Amino acid sequence: QLHLVQSGGGLVQPGGSLRLSCTASEFAGDDYTIGWFRQAPGREREGVSCIEDSGSITFYVDSVKGRFTISRDNAKNTIYLQMDSLEPDDTAVYYCAADSEVHCAPGFLKYGVRYLKLWGQGTPVTVSS
């Protein structure tokens, strides 16, 4: 059973940067599409970005395009979310999630919360001055 372990996050001022990491426990981690989701206080969990198992396909929700970058290092079984130009509205608990059968596409971000079974433990990100 694949496990996802997250690291990174914390408190940052508006305009600052953070990098989140999501490490898969098994070598088969590179066979999975990985997505980042976030849940702000009082709001539903939403998709942020995803990356195909090969790393060649990525998608981003409009609100983070040009500011966030998803990448993966399959040799380390680790997926990263580099977050730049952070805004207070980015404050949320961030989760990574994995699926071996669904491709990275806008639908993965929009509907993934309904069916994804493999989730990381969550990492809080607070953007505040």
Side-chain angles (χ1 to χ4, degrees), residues 37 47 97 102 106-117 119:
F37 296 76
V102 181
F108 182 95
L109 299 182
K110 188 173 182 179
Y111 302 112
V113 293
R114 301 180 187 178
Y115 60 81
L116 291 171
K117 303 298 184 185
W119 292 88

Side-chain angles (χ1 to χ4, degrees), residues 21 28 70 72 80 86 92 94 110 116 125:
S21 299
I70 191 170
R72 66 192 298 161
Y80 304 98
L86 282 161
Y94 284 71
K110 188 173 182 179
L116 291 171
V125 171

